[in-house]
Amino acid sequence: MTFRTAPRTASARVWQRMLSGRRLDLIDPSPLDIEIEDIAHGLARVARWNGQTGGPHAFSVAQHSVLVELIAQRQARARGAELDRRWRLATLLHDAPEYVVGDMISPFKAVLGGDYKTVEARLLAAVSLRFGLPATWPAPLVRLVKAADRASAFLEATRLAGFEIGEARRLFGQPFPLDAATERDLLAPWSADEAKTRFLERFAAIAGEDTAGPPP
């Protein structure tokens, strides 16, 4: 992959130190410097919707990622398909770069333009390689993740962020319904510790499976 990068200066620090001790370079991130514990720890402390959600805790990107992976599975089953392990892993990790750069709301990303997207894409490529996924995701996987992400955003917007149903429908498309028990579990904001634990548990469950064959 080829990216346009800003020139370095002699004094510029472009790496972040993680709790694992790794130093992740934002200009040229190495898959060897990426640890799932760092990702889970960071995402569990990054708030969706800039923190403008109800409840005693922020709705974290880690919790959002678990929700998106579940929705992706259920959307596939509604079409009569089962998702390959690698695609479920990619869905869980779709927002992994935000453990480094945070979760910027879509309007702010639009203001920043291409530079932010370049950094985010570079980080996602490194994360993908670290966990056995292609650096560049195939178009069907991108579409699948986007559909599940938008369905999750609809639920978060209407259940937690104060959006009206019609407004959310215009912004995020048709909702994908979940049963009441799943909504109570996955849309009640978790503490940072619970979000980290449940993200890591889901990662371990998916990563520990055998790959049954090529993605559909």
Side-chain angles (χ1 to χ4, degrees), residues 112-196:
L112 290 178
D115 287 344
Y116 176 86
K117 292 179 180 178
T118 296
V119 173
E120 194 174 50
R122 186 184 299 115
L123 288 166
L124 184 59
V127 168
S128 297
L129 291 173
R130 171 65 176 84
F131 298 112
L133 300 168
T136 301
W137 290 3
L141 174 58
V142 173
R143 290 193 295 269
L144 179 146
V145 171
K146 185 174 182 179
D149 193 37
R150 288 171 65 84
S152 177
F154 181 97
L155 291 170
E156 296 167 29
T158 54
R159 307 301 192 268
L160 298 169
F163 284 62
E164 298 292 336
I165 295 291
E167 181 182 19
R169 199 184 301 271
R170 288 193 301 274
L171 291 170
F172 308 115
Q174 288 293 110
F176 184 83
L178 297 178
D179 58 275
T182 300
E183 281 205 21
R184 283 194 300 271
D185 180 29
L186 294 183
L187 285 164
W190 302 334
S191 69
D193 285 345
E194 182 178 3
K196 177 180 178 179

Side-chain angles (χ1 to χ4, degrees), residues 12-185:
R13 177 172 71 87
V14 293
W15 54 264
Q16 179 178 346
R17 186 190 187 281
M18 304 300 173
L19 286 179
S20 65
R22 299 287 189 182
R23 294 187 178 189
L24 184 63
D25 189 314
L26 297 183
I27 299 298
D28 186 21
S30 169
L32 298 177
D33 290 327
I34 292 169
E35 300 290 346
I36 193 61
E37 285 274 348
D38 291 333
I39 292 173
H41 186 87
L43 295 186
R45 287 158 175 77
V46 175
R48 293 269 293 168
W49 308 95
N50 271 357
Q52 297 299 306
T53 52
H57 304 289
F59 189 83
S60 71
V61 176
Q63 184 170 354
H64 163 78
S65 299
V66 172
L67 176 59
V68 171
E69 192 264 330
L70 178 138
I71 289 175
Q73 284 197 68
R74 294 196 178 181
Q75 287 177 326
R77 287 171 184 165
R79 300 190 299 270
E82 287 289 335
L83 290 185
D84 178 85
R85 176 191 69 86
R86 290 164 293 180
W87 283 35
R88 283 185 280 126
L89 185 61
T91 305
L92 184 71
L93 294 172
H94 77 283
D95 277 340
E98 294 178 6
Y99 91 105
V100 180
V101 298
D103 181 25
M104 294 187 183
I105 59 174
S106 296
F108 192 38
K109 288 182 181 180
V111 171
L112 290 178
D115 287 344
Y116 176 86
K117 292 179 180 178
T118 296
V119 173
E120 194 174 50
R122 186 184 299 115
L123 288 166
L124 184 59
V127 168
S128 297
L129 291 173
R130 171 65 176 84
F131 298 112
L133 300 168
T136 301
W137 290 3
L141 174 58
V142 173
R143 290 193 295 269
L144 179 146
V145 171
K146 185 174 182 179
D149 193 37
R150 288 171 65 84
S152 177
F154 181 97
L155 291 170
E156 296 167 29
T158 54
R159 307 301 192 268
L160 298 169
F163 284 62
E164 298 292 336
I165 295 291
E167 181 182 19
R169 199 184 301 271
R170 288 193 301 274
L171 291 170
F172 308 115
Q174 288 293 110
F176 184 83
L178 297 178
D179 58 275
T182 300
E183 281 205 21
R184 283 194 300 271
D185 180 29

Side-chain angles (χ1 to χ4, degrees), residues 196-216:
K196 177 180 178 179
T197 296
R198 293 185 66 167
F199 181 92
L200 286 172
E201 287 175 348
R202 192 67 201 127
F203 174 85
I206 299 171
E209 294 179 10
D210 291 330
T211 300

